Amino acid sequence: EPEVTQTPSHQVTQMGQEVILRCVPISNHLYFYWYRQILGQKVEFLVSFYNNEISEKSEIFDDQFSVERPDGSNFTLKIRSTKLEDSAMYFCASSLYRRTERGYEQYFGPGTRLTVT
Amino acid sequence: AQSVAQPEDQVNVAEGNPLTVKCTYSVSGNPYLFWYVQYPNRGLQFLLKYITGDNLVKGSYGFEAEFNKSQTSFHLKKPSALVSDSALYFCAVRDIYGGSQGNLIFGKGTKLSVKP
């Protein structure tokens, strides 16, 4: 069964450093997402991506964040200058998409635990 | 704005007994509702969804959920719990307000503990 994969599983970085989190969505999916989950809190939407551009973003997704689909398979989340409060589990997700249908479920990767020290 | 509430932080059930994990929602228009499960150190796994049609939705691992429009609820159920069902369960609603393309809004999660 196809699945979303993410690398690395755990990333430790110092405050102010740049990090890139990588995801490989399910191959025939067209819609991609990043969510995050701060320890003990709910899963929060960051950004969605379709047709090589951001479709939506939340208030959390400020200028320090960016996303990219550099090739036909990878989908990345970059944090330019990490802060302590960026420490969280970051989940990538993907789904099929049709303009007239919003019922497709999203499939999540196992997550990358980011620790900013 | 769309929102989801899971009123219980934890649910404890004995193995073999029925389980219910509660979820209520607030949406504008028709809801698109989902349940996900998270096992320790794993990602979110899709269990089931309600889009339209029958109010009782069946999903993976013997789980089902009942959509109740009058009570704005979407409770997750299983007739006979297994120890392996112990995990964190998230209810979610698809955000379609104001032309949104459908990111998920999650509840805070309910920890299910099934004892032998």
Side-chain angles (χ1 to χ4, degrees), chain A residues 31 33 35 37 42 45 55-56 91 97 102-106 108-110, chain B residues 32 36 38 43-44 46 49 51 90 94 96 100-104 106-107:
Chain A
Y31 224 96
Y33 310 81
Y35 292 81
Q37 184 182 31
K42 63 171 65 176
F45 168 73
S55 181
E56 278 188 278
F91 292 107
Y97 173 74
R102 290 172 175 160
Y104 288 109
E105 57 271 26
Q106 296 173 22
F108 285 76
Chain B
Y32 293 70
Y36 284 83
Q38 185 180 29
L44 298 162
F46 169 74
K49 67 180 179 182
I51 305 301
F90 290 95
R94 195 90 180 243
I96 57 172
S100 166
Q101 293 305 310
N103 51 282
L104 292 174
F106 285 88

PDB file of all heavy atoms in Angstrom, chain A residues 31 33 35 37 42 45 55-56 91 97 102-106 108-110, chain B residues 32 36 38 43-44 46 49 51 90 94 96 100-104 106-107:
ATOM      1  N   TYR A  31      -2.475  17.053  -4.060  1.00  0.00           N
ATOM      2  CA  TYR A  31      -2.601  18.101  -3.046  1.00  0.00           C
ATOM      3  C   TYR A  31      -1.709  17.736  -1.870  1.00  0.00           C
ATOM      4  O   TYR A  31      -1.746  16.602  -1.399  1.00  0.00           O
ATOM      5  CB  TYR A  31      -4.062  18.183  -2.586  1.00  0.00           C
ATOM      6  CG  TYR A  31      -4.576  19.570  -2.469  1.00  0.00           C
ATOM      7  CD1 TYR A  31      -5.289  20.145  -3.509  1.00  0.00           C
ATOM      8  CD2 TYR A  31      -4.343  20.319  -1.339  1.00  0.00           C
ATOM      9  CE1 TYR A  31      -5.763  21.438  -3.411  1.00  0.00           C
ATOM     10  CE2 TYR A  31      -4.811  21.601  -1.223  1.00  0.00           C
ATOM     11  CZ  TYR A  31      -5.530  22.161  -2.260  1.00  0.00           C
ATOM     12  OH  TYR A  31      -5.989  23.439  -2.158  1.00  0.00           O
ATOM     13  N   TYR A  33       0.187  18.913   1.987  1.00  0.00           N
ATOM     14  CA  TYR A  33      -0.035  19.713   3.189  1.00  0.00           C
ATOM     15  C   TYR A  33       1.124  19.540   4.174  1.00  0.00           C
ATOM     16  O   TYR A  33       1.790  18.499   4.189  1.00  0.00           O
ATOM     17  CB  TYR A  33      -1.300  19.249   3.922  1.00  0.00           C
ATOM     18  CG  TYR A  33      -2.546  19.109   3.094  1.00  0.00           C
ATOM     19  CD1 TYR A  33      -2.766  17.983   2.311  1.00  0.00           C
ATOM     20  CD2 TYR A  33      -3.524  20.096   3.101  1.00  0.00           C
ATOM     21  CE1 TYR A  33      -3.918  17.845   1.558  1.00  0.00           C
ATOM     22  CE2 TYR A  33      -4.687  19.968   2.354  1.00  0.00           C
ATOM     23  CZ  TYR A  33      -4.874  18.837   1.587  1.00  0.00           C
ATOM     24  OH  TYR A  33      -6.022  18.702   0.845  1.00  0.00           O
ATOM     25  N   TYR A  35       1.399  20.000   8.438  1.00  0.00           N
ATOM     26  CA  TYR A  35       0.770  20.262   9.722  1.00  0.00           C
ATOM     27  C   TYR A  35       1.872  20.167  10.782  1.00  0.00           C
ATOM     28  O   TYR A  35       2.927  19.563  10.551  1.00  0.00           O
ATOM     29  CB  TYR A  35      -0.297  19.209  10.048  1.00  0.00           C
ATOM     30  CG  TYR A  35      -1.529  19.230   9.175  1.00  0.00           C
ATOM     31  CD1 TYR A  35      -1.537  18.633   7.920  1.00  0.00           C
ATOM     32  CD2 TYR A  35      -2.702  19.814   9.626  1.00  0.00           C
ATOM     33  CE1 TYR A  35      -2.677  18.623   7.127  1.00  0.00           C
ATOM     34  CE2 TYR A  35      -3.859  19.808   8.845  1.00  0.00           C
ATOM     35  CZ  TYR A  35      -3.832  19.211   7.607  1.00  0.00           C
ATOM     36  OH  TYR A  35      -4.971  19.205   6.829  1.00  0.00           O
ATOM     37  N   GLN A  37       2.441  19.566  15.237  1.00  0.00           N
ATOM     38  CA  GLN A  37       1.842  19.210  16.521  1.00  0.00           C
ATOM     39  C   GLN A  37       2.866  19.492  17.606  1.00  0.00           C
ATOM     40  O   GLN A  37       3.844  18.744  17.760  1.00  0.00           O
ATOM     41  CB  GLN A  37       1.436  17.735  16.530  1.00  0.00           C
ATOM     42  CG  GLN A  37       0.719  17.280  17.799  1.00  0.00           C
ATOM     43  CD  GLN A  37       0.387  15.798  17.753  1.00  0.00           C
ATOM     44  OE1 GLN A  37       1.086  14.997  17.155  1.00  0.00           O
ATOM     45  NE2 GLN A  37      -0.699  15.418  18.419  1.00  0.00           N
ATOM     46  N   LYS A  42      -2.872  20.124  19.993  1.00  0.00           N
ATOM     47  CA  LYS A  42      -3.569  19.561  18.843  1.00  0.00           C
ATOM     48  C   LYS A  42      -2.750  19.735  17.571  1.00  0.00           C
ATOM     49  O   LYS A  42      -1.839  20.548  17.487  1.00  0.00           O
ATOM     50  CB  LYS A  42      -4.940  20.192  18.694  1.00  0.00           C
ATOM     51  CG  LYS A  42      -4.943  21.672  18.410  1.00  0.00           C
ATOM     52  CD  LYS A  42      -6.340  22.170  18.065  1.00  0.00           C
ATOM     53  CE  LYS A  42      -7.306  22.047  19.201  1.00  0.00           C
ATOM     54  NZ  LYS A  42      -8.642  22.622  18.870  1.00  0.00           N
ATOM     55  N   PHE A  45      -2.867  23.026  11.171  1.00  0.00           N
ATOM     56  CA  PHE A  45      -2.586  23.214   9.752  1.00  0.00           C
ATOM     57  C   PHE A  45      -1.563  24.326   9.558  1.00  0.00           C
ATOM     58  O   PHE A  45      -1.637  25.391  10.182  1.00  0.00           O
ATOM     59  CB  PHE A  45      -3.885  23.545   9.036  1.00  0.00           C
ATOM     60  CG  PHE A  45      -3.720  24.041   7.626  1.00  0.00           C
ATOM     61  CD1 PHE A  45      -3.357  23.177   6.610  1.00  0.00           C
ATOM     62  CD2 PHE A  45      -3.938  25.375   7.324  1.00  0.00           C
ATOM     63  CE1 PHE A  45      -3.212  23.640   5.316  1.00  0.00           C
ATOM     64  CE2 PHE A  45      -3.799  25.845   6.042  1.00  0.00           C
ATOM     65  CZ  PHE A  45      -3.442  24.979   5.030  1.00  0.00           C
ATOM     66  N   SER A  55      -1.675  26.990  -1.880  1.00  0.00           N
ATOM     67  CA  SER A  55      -3.105  27.165  -2.011  1.00  0.00           C
ATOM     68  C   SER A  55      -3.684  27.924  -0.822  1.00  0.00           C
ATOM     69  O   SER A  55      -4.513  28.826  -0.987  1.00  0.00           O
ATOM     70  CB  SER A  55      -3.780  25.802  -2.131  1.00  0.00           C
ATOM     71  OG  SER A  55      -5.167  25.947  -2.271  1.00  0.00           O
ATOM     72  N   GLU A  56      -3.226  27.557   0.351  1.00  0.00           N
ATOM     73  CA  GLU A  56      -3.645  28.226   1.570  1.00  0.00           C
ATOM     74  C   GLU A  56      -2.538  28.144   2.600  1.00  0.00           C
ATOM     75  O   GLU A  56      -1.732  27.221   2.565  1.00  0.00           O
ATOM     76  CB  GLU A  56      -4.863  27.522   2.169  1.00  0.00           C
ATOM     77  CG  GLU A  56      -6.164  27.890   1.565  1.00  0.00           C
ATOM     78  CD  GLU A  56      -7.284  27.291   2.360  1.00  0.00           C
ATOM     79  OE1 GLU A  56      -7.568  26.098   2.125  1.00  0.00           O
ATOM     80  OE2 GLU A  56      -7.851  27.970   3.208  1.00  0.00           O
ATOM     81  N   PHE A  91       4.105  17.070  10.363  1.00  0.00           N
ATOM     82  CA  PHE A  91       3.519  16.029   9.535  1.00  0.00           C
ATOM     83  C   PHE A  91       3.278  16.548   8.124  1.00  0.00           C
ATOM     84  O   PHE A  91       2.741  17.638   7.930  1.00  0.00           O
ATOM     85  CB  PHE A  91       2.174  15.570  10.100  1.00  0.00           C
ATOM     86  CG  PHE A  91       2.266  14.844  11.404  1.00  0.00           C
ATOM     87  CD1 PHE A  91       1.852  15.454  12.572  1.00  0.00           C
ATOM     88  CD2 PHE A  91       2.745  13.550  11.464  1.00  0.00           C
ATOM     89  CE1 PHE A  91       1.917  14.788  13.802  1.00  0.00           C
ATOM     90  CE2 PHE A  91       2.816  12.873  12.676  1.00  0.00           C
ATOM     91  CZ  PHE A  91       2.411  13.497  13.842  1.00  0.00           C
ATOM     92  N   TYR A  97      -7.301  15.119  -5.457  1.00  0.00           N
ATOM     93  CA  TYR A  97      -8.041  16.382  -5.485  1.00  0.00           C
ATOM     94  C   TYR A  97      -8.826  16.512  -6.759  1.00  0.00           C
ATOM     95  O   TYR A  97      -8.329  16.223  -7.834  1.00  0.00           O
ATOM     96  CB  TYR A  97      -7.068  17.560  -5.396  1.00  0.00           C
ATOM     97  CG  TYR A  97      -7.743  18.909  -5.582  1.00  0.00           C
ATOM     98  CD1 TYR A  97      -8.529  19.444  -4.576  1.00  0.00           C
ATOM     99  CD2 TYR A  97      -7.601  19.625  -6.761  1.00  0.00           C
ATOM    100  CE1 TYR A  97      -9.164  20.665  -4.746  1.00  0.00           C
ATOM    101  CE2 TYR A  97      -8.230  20.835  -6.936  1.00  0.00           C
ATOM    102  CZ  TYR A  97      -8.999  21.370  -5.923  1.00  0.00           C
ATOM    103  OH  TYR A  97      -9.621  22.572  -6.090  1.00  0.00           O
ATOM    104  N   ARG A 102     -14.602  17.531  -2.322  1.00  0.00           N
ATOM    105  CA  ARG A 102     -13.732  17.812  -1.187  1.00  0.00           C
ATOM    106  C   ARG A 102     -13.739  16.676  -0.190  1.00  0.00           C
ATOM    107  O   ARG A 102     -13.323  16.848   0.937  1.00  0.00           O
ATOM    108  CB  ARG A 102     -14.180  19.104  -0.515  1.00  0.00           C
ATOM    109  CG  ARG A 102     -13.913  20.315  -1.362  1.00  0.00           C
ATOM    110  CD  ARG A 102     -14.530  21.542  -0.759  1.00  0.00           C
ATOM    111  NE  ARG A 102     -14.165  22.745  -1.509  1.00  0.00           N
ATOM    112  CZ  ARG A 102     -14.821  23.867  -1.452  1.00  0.00           C
ATOM    113  NH1 ARG A 102     -15.884  23.981  -0.683  1.00  0.00           N
ATOM    114  NH2 ARG A 102     -14.430  24.919  -2.144  1.00  0.00           N
ATOM    115  N   GLY A 103     -14.189  15.512  -0.620  1.00  0.00           N
ATOM    116  CA  GLY A 103     -14.320  14.410   0.315  1.00  0.00           C
ATOM    117  C   GLY A 103     -13.123  13.515   0.435  1.00  0.00           C
ATOM    118  O   GLY A 103     -13.154  12.541   1.177  1.00  0.00           O
ATOM    119  N   TYR A 104     -12.049  13.823  -0.268  1.00  0.00           N
ATOM    120  CA  TYR A 104     -10.908  12.942  -0.211  1.00  0.00           C
ATOM    121  C   TYR A 104     -10.170  13.068   1.109  1.00  0.00           C
ATOM    122  O   TYR A 104      -9.872  14.159   1.566  1.00  0.00           O
ATOM    123  CB  TYR A 104      -9.941  13.247  -1.354  1.00  0.00           C
ATOM    124  CG  TYR A 104     -10.455  12.799  -2.702  1.00  0.00           C
ATOM    125  CD1 TYR A 104     -10.865  13.710  -3.645  1.00  0.00           C
ATOM    126  CD2 TYR A 104     -10.520  11.451  -3.008  1.00  0.00           C
ATOM    127  CE1 TYR A 104     -11.337  13.298  -4.874  1.00  0.00           C
ATOM    128  CE2 TYR A 104     -10.997  11.031  -4.234  1.00  0.00           C
ATOM    129  CZ  TYR A 104     -11.403  11.950  -5.163  1.00  0.00           C
ATOM    130  OH  TYR A 104     -11.862  11.545  -6.366  1.00  0.00           O
ATOM    131  N   GLU A 105      -9.845  11.897   1.694  1.00  0.00           N
ATOM    132  CA  GLU A 105      -9.104  11.924   2.938  1.00  0.00           C
ATOM    133  C   GLU A 105      -7.645  12.240   2.671  1.00  0.00           C
ATOM    134  O   GLU A 105      -7.137  12.029   1.575  1.00  0.00           O
ATOM    135  CB  GLU A 105      -9.220  10.578   3.670  1.00  0.00           C
ATOM    136  CG  GLU A 105      -8.754   9.382   2.872  1.00  0.00           C
ATOM    137  CD  GLU A 105      -9.873   8.778   2.051  1.00  0.00           C
ATOM    138  OE1 GLU A 105     -10.840   9.488   1.693  1.00  0.00           O
ATOM    139  OE2 GLU A 105      -9.775   7.570   1.736  1.00  0.00           O
ATOM    140  N   GLN A 106      -6.987  12.746   3.675  1.00  0.00           N
ATOM    141  CA  GLN A 106      -5.570  13.043   3.600  1.00  0.00           C
ATOM    142  C   GLN A 106      -4.791  11.902   4.247  1.00  0.00           C
ATOM    143  O   GLN A 106      -5.181  11.392   5.289  1.00  0.00           O
ATOM    144  CB  GLN A 106      -5.270  14.363   4.302  1.00  0.00           C
ATOM    145  CG  GLN A 106      -5.948  15.548   3.611  1.00  0.00           C
ATOM    146  CD  GLN A 106      -5.804  16.840   4.372  1.00  0.00           C
ATOM    147  OE1 GLN A 106      -4.903  17.003   5.189  1.00  0.00           O
ATOM    148  NE2 GLN A 106      -6.683  17.783   4.102  1.00  0.00           N
ATOM    149  N   PHE A 108      -1.277  10.797   5.945  1.00  0.00           N
ATOM    150  CA  PHE A 108      -0.194  11.455   6.674  1.00  0.00           C
ATOM    151  C   PHE A 108       1.067  10.601   6.705  1.00  0.00           C
ATOM    152  O   PHE A 108       1.007   9.368   6.781  1.00  0.00           O
ATOM    153  CB  PHE A 108      -0.631  11.738   8.115  1.00  0.00           C
ATOM    154  CG  PHE A 108      -1.583  12.881   8.235  1.00  0.00           C
ATOM    155  CD1 PHE A 108      -2.916  12.745   7.874  1.00  0.00           C
ATOM    156  CD2 PHE A 108      -1.148  14.114   8.693  1.00  0.00           C
ATOM    157  CE1 PHE A 108      -3.800  13.811   7.974  1.00  0.00           C
ATOM    158  CE2 PHE A 108      -2.024  15.184   8.805  1.00  0.00           C
ATOM    159  CZ  PHE A 108      -3.351  15.023   8.440  1.00  0.00           C
ATOM    160  N   GLY A 109       2.193  11.279   6.702  1.00  0.00           N
ATOM    161  CA  GLY A 109       3.460  10.615   6.941  1.00  0.00           C
ATOM    162  C   GLY A 109       3.693  10.406   8.429  1.00  0.00           C
ATOM    163  O   GLY A 109       2.900  10.866   9.251  1.00  0.00           O
ATOM    164  N   PRO A 110       4.796   9.736   8.784  1.00  0.00           N
ATOM    165  CA  PRO A 110       5.073   9.419  10.186  1.00  0.00           C
ATOM    166  C   PRO A 110       5.550  10.619  10.994  1.00  0.00           C
ATOM    167  O   PRO A 110       5.611  10.550  12.219  1.00  0.00           O
ATOM    168  CB  PRO A 110       6.159   8.350  10.100  1.00  0.00           C
ATOM    169  CG  PRO A 110       6.837   8.637   8.805  1.00  0.00           C
ATOM    170  CD  PRO A 110       5.778   9.154   7.874  1.00  0.00           C
TER     171      PRO A 110
ATOM    172  N   TYR B  32     -17.790  17.794   6.562  1.00  0.00           N
ATOM    173  CA  TYR B  32     -16.976  16.683   6.093  1.00  0.00           C
ATOM    174  C   TYR B  32     -16.148  16.253   7.313  1.00  0.00           C
ATOM    175  O   TYR B  32     -15.273  17.001   7.754  1.00  0.00           O
ATOM    176  CB  TYR B  32     -16.050  17.122   4.969  1.00  0.00           C
ATOM    177  CG  TYR B  32     -16.749  17.496   3.683  1.00  0.00           C
ATOM    178  CD1 TYR B  32     -17.513  18.650   3.592  1.00  0.00           C
ATOM    179  CD2 TYR B  32     -16.631  16.693   2.556  1.00  0.00           C
ATOM    180  CE1 TYR B  32     -18.151  18.996   2.416  1.00  0.00           C
ATOM    181  CE2 TYR B  32     -17.268  17.031   1.369  1.00  0.00           C
ATOM    182  CZ  TYR B  32     -18.028  18.183   1.306  1.00  0.00           C
ATOM    183  OH  TYR B  32     -18.646  18.513   0.138  1.00  0.00           O
ATOM    184  N   TYR B  36      -9.026  10.008  12.765  1.00  0.00           N
ATOM    185  CA  TYR B  36      -7.669   9.514  12.578  1.00  0.00           C
ATOM    186  C   TYR B  36      -7.193   8.906  13.889  1.00  0.00           C
ATOM    187  O   TYR B  36      -7.619   9.313  14.976  1.00  0.00           O
ATOM    188  CB  TYR B  36      -6.717  10.643  12.189  1.00  0.00           C
ATOM    189  CG  TYR B  36      -6.834  11.097  10.752  1.00  0.00           C
ATOM    190  CD1 TYR B  36      -7.809  12.017  10.373  1.00  0.00           C
ATOM    191  CD2 TYR B  36      -5.968  10.612   9.772  1.00  0.00           C
ATOM    192  CE1 TYR B  36      -7.922  12.432   9.058  1.00  0.00           C
ATOM    193  CE2 TYR B  36      -6.065  11.027   8.454  1.00  0.00           C
ATOM    194  CZ  TYR B  36      -7.045  11.929   8.106  1.00  0.00           C
ATOM    195  OH  TYR B  36      -7.144  12.346   6.799  1.00  0.00           O
ATOM    196  N   GLN B  38      -3.568   7.791  16.058  1.00  0.00           N
ATOM    197  CA  GLN B  38      -2.111   7.970  16.140  1.00  0.00           C
ATOM    198  C   GLN B  38      -1.550   7.008  17.170  1.00  0.00           C
ATOM    199  O   GLN B  38      -1.824   7.140  18.370  1.00  0.00           O
ATOM    200  CB  GLN B  38      -1.775   9.414  16.511  1.00  0.00           C
ATOM    201  CG  GLN B  38      -0.283   9.725  16.500  1.00  0.00           C
ATOM    202  CD  GLN B  38       0.002  11.165  16.878  1.00  0.00           C
ATOM    203  OE1 GLN B  38      -0.739  11.790  17.621  1.00  0.00           O
ATOM    204  NE2 GLN B  38       1.082  11.705  16.345  1.00  0.00           N
ATOM    205  N   GLY B  43       2.689   8.288  12.604  1.00  0.00           N
ATOM    206  CA  GLY B  43       1.872   9.359  12.044  1.00  0.00           C
ATOM    207  C   GLY B  43       0.401   9.097  12.243  1.00  0.00           C
ATOM    208  O   GLY B  43      -0.009   8.136  12.897  1.00  0.00           O
ATOM    209  N   LEU B  44      -0.400   9.959  11.666  1.00  0.00           N
ATOM    210  CA  LEU B  44      -1.846   9.846  11.763  1.00  0.00           C
ATOM    211  C   LEU B  44      -2.354   8.877  10.699  1.00  0.00           C
ATOM    212  O   LEU B  44      -2.038   9.024   9.521  1.00  0.00           O
ATOM    213  CB  LEU B  44      -2.492  11.211  11.563  1.00  0.00           C
ATOM    214  CG  LEU B  44      -2.123  12.260  12.604  1.00  0.00           C
ATOM    215  CD1 LEU B  44      -2.427  13.656  12.102  1.00  0.00           C
ATOM    216  CD2 LEU B  44      -2.881  11.993  13.892  1.00  0.00           C
ATOM    217  N   PHE B  46      -5.649   7.284   8.789  1.00  0.00           N
ATOM    218  CA  PHE B  46      -7.049   7.503   8.490  1.00  0.00           C
ATOM    219  C   PHE B  46      -7.880   6.287   8.908  1.00  0.00           C
ATOM    220  O   PHE B  46      -7.514   5.146   8.616  1.00  0.00           O
ATOM    221  CB  PHE B  46      -7.198   7.760   6.990  1.00  0.00           C
ATOM    222  CG  PHE B  46      -8.611   7.745   6.490  1.00  0.00           C
ATOM    223  CD1 PHE B  46      -9.459   8.802   6.755  1.00  0.00           C
ATOM    224  CD2 PHE B  46      -9.087   6.675   5.754  1.00  0.00           C
ATOM    225  CE1 PHE B  46     -10.762   8.789   6.298  1.00  0.00           C
ATOM    226  CE2 PHE B  46     -10.382   6.651   5.282  1.00  0.00           C
ATOM    227  CZ  PHE B  46     -11.221   7.717   5.553  1.00  0.00           C
ATOM    228  N   LYS B  49     -14.525   8.281   7.372  1.00  0.00           N
ATOM    229  CA  LYS B  49     -14.991   9.627   7.080  1.00  0.00           C
ATOM    230  C   LYS B  49     -16.491   9.617   6.842  1.00  0.00           C
ATOM    231  O   LYS B  49     -17.076   8.600   6.464  1.00  0.00           O
ATOM    232  CB  LYS B  49     -14.273  10.189   5.854  1.00  0.00           C
ATOM    233  CG  LYS B  49     -14.617   9.462   4.548  1.00  0.00           C
ATOM    234  CD  LYS B  49     -13.872  10.052   3.366  1.00  0.00           C
ATOM    235  CE  LYS B  49     -14.208   9.289   2.078  1.00  0.00           C
ATOM    236  NZ  LYS B  49     -13.442   9.823   0.913  1.00  0.00           N
ATOM    237  N   ILE B  51     -19.079  11.952   4.553  1.00  0.00           N
ATOM    238  CA  ILE B  51     -19.244  13.030   3.584  1.00  0.00           C
ATOM    239  C   ILE B  51     -20.729  13.266   3.337  1.00  0.00           C
ATOM    240  O   ILE B  51     -21.238  14.374   3.432  1.00  0.00           O
ATOM    241  CB  ILE B  51     -18.525  12.697   2.255  1.00  0.00           C
ATOM    242  CG1 ILE B  51     -17.048  12.385   2.524  1.00  0.00           C
ATOM    243  CG2 ILE B  51     -18.675  13.837   1.261  1.00  0.00           C
ATOM    244  CD1 ILE B  51     -16.286  13.505   3.171  1.00  0.00           C
ATOM    245  N   PHE B  90      -8.054  11.208  16.953  1.00  0.00           N
ATOM    246  CA  PHE B  90      -8.350  12.585  16.590  1.00  0.00           C
ATOM    247  C   PHE B  90      -9.566  12.637  15.676  1.00  0.00           C
ATOM    248  O   PHE B  90      -9.627  11.932  14.665  1.00  0.00           O
ATOM    249  CB  PHE B  90      -7.170  13.226  15.842  1.00  0.00           C
ATOM    250  CG  PHE B  90      -5.974  13.486  16.697  1.00  0.00           C
ATOM    251  CD1 PHE B  90      -4.940  12.570  16.758  1.00  0.00           C
ATOM    252  CD2 PHE B  90      -5.867  14.659  17.429  1.00  0.00           C
ATOM    253  CE1 PHE B  90      -3.820  12.811  17.533  1.00  0.00           C
ATOM    254  CE2 PHE B  90      -4.754  14.904  18.213  1.00  0.00           C
ATOM    255  CZ  PHE B  90      -3.736  13.982  18.262  1.00  0.00           C
ATOM    256  N   ARG B  94     -13.257  19.018   7.812  1.00  0.00           N
ATOM    257  CA  ARG B  94     -12.639  19.653   6.652  1.00  0.00           C
ATOM    258  C   ARG B  94     -13.087  21.098   6.598  1.00  0.00           C
ATOM    259  O   ARG B  94     -14.272  21.376   6.643  1.00  0.00           O
ATOM    260  CB  ARG B  94     -13.092  18.934   5.380  1.00  0.00           C
ATOM    261  CG  ARG B  94     -12.267  19.245   4.158  1.00  0.00           C
ATOM    262  CD  ARG B  94     -11.128  18.275   4.060  1.00  0.00           C
ATOM    263  NE  ARG B  94     -10.281  18.504   2.920  1.00  0.00           N
ATOM    264  CZ  ARG B  94     -10.125  17.637   1.931  1.00  0.00           C
ATOM    265  NH1 ARG B  94     -10.810  16.515   1.922  1.00  0.00           N
ATOM    266  NH2 ARG B  94      -9.299  17.897   0.960  1.00  0.00           N
ATOM    267  N   ILE B  96     -14.100  24.063   4.905  1.00  0.00           N
ATOM    268  CA  ILE B  96     -14.528  24.504   3.583  1.00  0.00           C
ATOM    269  C   ILE B  96     -15.177  25.874   3.669  1.00  0.00           C
ATOM    270  O   ILE B  96     -15.837  26.310   2.752  1.00  0.00           O
ATOM    271  CB  ILE B  96     -15.522  23.504   2.953  1.00  0.00           C
ATOM    272  CG1 ILE B  96     -16.742  23.309   3.872  1.00  0.00           C
ATOM    273  CG2 ILE B  96     -14.844  22.189   2.675  1.00  0.00           C
ATOM    274  CD1 ILE B  96     -17.841  22.486   3.224  1.00  0.00           C
ATOM    275  N   SER B 100     -12.207  27.881   1.365  1.00  0.00           N
ATOM    276  CA  SER B 100     -11.014  27.091   1.688  1.00  0.00           C
ATOM    277  C   SER B 100     -11.004  25.799   0.884  1.00  0.00           C
ATOM    278  O   SER B 100     -12.045  25.208   0.633  1.00  0.00           O
ATOM    279  CB  SER B 100     -11.008  26.762   3.180  1.00  0.00           C
ATOM    280  OG  SER B 100     -10.063  25.763   3.461  1.00  0.00           O
ATOM    281  N   GLN B 101      -9.828  25.382   0.499  1.00  0.00           N
ATOM    282  CA  GLN B 101      -9.691  24.174  -0.291  1.00  0.00           C
ATOM    283  C   GLN B 101      -9.590  22.928   0.542  1.00  0.00           C
ATOM    284  O   GLN B 101      -9.360  21.850   0.009  1.00  0.00           O
ATOM    285  CB  GLN B 101      -8.475  24.310  -1.212  1.00  0.00           C
ATOM    286  CG  GLN B 101      -8.662  25.366  -2.284  1.00  0.00           C
ATOM    287  CD  GLN B 101      -9.909  25.114  -3.101  1.00  0.00           C
ATOM    288  OE1 GLN B 101     -10.148  24.032  -3.591  1.00  0.00           O
ATOM    289  NE2 GLN B 101     -10.741  26.138  -3.238  1.00  0.00           N
ATOM    290  N   GLY B 102      -9.728  23.036   1.845  1.00  0.00           N
ATOM    291  CA  GLY B 102      -9.967  21.811   2.579  1.00  0.00           C
ATOM    292  C   GLY B 102      -8.918  21.312   3.529  1.00  0.00           C
ATOM    293  O   GLY B 102      -8.789  20.106   3.691  1.00  0.00           O
ATOM    294  N   ASN B 103      -8.192  22.221   4.168  1.00  0.00           N
ATOM    295  CA  ASN B 103      -7.308  21.714   5.204  1.00  0.00           C
ATOM    296  C   ASN B 103      -8.150  21.186   6.366  1.00  0.00           C
ATOM    297  O   ASN B 103      -9.310  21.547   6.530  1.00  0.00           O
ATOM    298  CB  ASN B 103      -6.377  22.803   5.708  1.00  0.00           C
ATOM    299  CG  ASN B 103      -7.118  24.057   6.107  1.00  0.00           C
ATOM    300  OD1 ASN B 103      -7.511  24.830   5.260  1.00  0.00           O
ATOM    301  ND2 ASN B 103      -7.330  24.243   7.405  1.00  0.00           N
ATOM    302  N   LEU B 104      -7.574  20.298   7.147  1.00  0.00           N
ATOM    303  CA  LEU B 104      -8.282  19.684   8.263  1.00  0.00           C
ATOM    304  C   LEU B 104      -8.114  20.512   9.530  1.00  0.00           C
ATOM    305  O   LEU B 104      -7.046  21.031   9.811  1.00  0.00           O
ATOM    306  CB  LEU B 104      -7.753  18.275   8.511  1.00  0.00           C
ATOM    307  CG  LEU B 104      -8.052  17.244   7.408  1.00  0.00           C
ATOM    308  CD1 LEU B 104      -7.344  15.939   7.703  1.00  0.00           C
ATOM    309  CD2 LEU B 104      -9.552  17.023   7.272  1.00  0.00           C
ATOM    310  N   PHE B 106      -8.407  19.865  13.490  1.00  0.00           N
ATOM    311  CA  PHE B 106      -8.408  18.722  14.394  1.00  0.00           C
ATOM    312  C   PHE B 106      -8.926  19.090  15.777  1.00  0.00           C
ATOM    313  O   PHE B 106      -8.738  20.210  16.255  1.00  0.00           O
ATOM    314  CB  PHE B 106      -6.985  18.169  14.546  1.00  0.00           C
ATOM    315  CG  PHE B 106      -6.500  17.394  13.357  1.00  0.00           C
ATOM    316  CD1 PHE B 106      -5.871  18.029  12.309  1.00  0.00           C
ATOM    317  CD2 PHE B 106      -6.677  16.020  13.292  1.00  0.00           C
ATOM    318  CE1 PHE B 106      -5.416  17.317  11.206  1.00  0.00           C
ATOM    319  CE2 PHE B 106      -6.232  15.295  12.207  1.00  0.00           C
ATOM    320  CZ  PHE B 106      -5.605  15.945  11.162  1.00  0.00           C
ATOM    321  N   GLY B 107      -9.530  18.097  16.424  1.00  0.00           N
ATOM    322  CA  GLY B 107      -9.765  18.183  17.852  1.00  0.00           C
ATOM    323  C   GLY B 107      -8.464  17.959  18.600  1.00  0.00           C
ATOM    324  O   GLY B 107      -7.437  17.640  18.001  1.00  0.00           O
TER     325      GLY B 107
END
